[in-house]
Amino acid sequence: PCRMVSPLVDEIADETADAKVGKINVDDEPELAQAFGVMSIPTLVVVEKGKVVRQATGARPKQAIVDFLKG
C-alpha cells in the first residue's frame, strides 16, 4: 500500500502551494513514527499549528488524500 500511495503524495506535494506535504520512512525515522502514534502504514497525518488534527491509516486514491488534507 505504501508503494501505491507514495507517488500520489509526491504529486499532491507538487500541486499544493498552501500546505507542506511530505512523507517519512518509518524504518528510517522510528522516533518520529512513535511520536505520531503510527501503528500501521501507510498513515496519513494532518498537522495544523503543531497539533495533529486528522489521522488515517490505509491506502487511498489521490482525490481522497486531497480531500483528507483539506478536511
Side-chain angles (χ1 to χ4, degrees), residues 40-71:
S40 61
I41 53 175
T43 295
L44 304 171
V45 179
V46 176
V47 178
E48 292 178 0
K49 298 180 183 177
K51 297 189 184 239
V52 174
V53 294
R54 284 183 295 289
Q55 188 165 348
T57 303
R60 297 160 190 267
K62 182 178 177 179
Q63 190 56 53
I65 297 171
V66 169
D67 294 344
F68 177 77
L69 178 64
K70 294 179 180 180

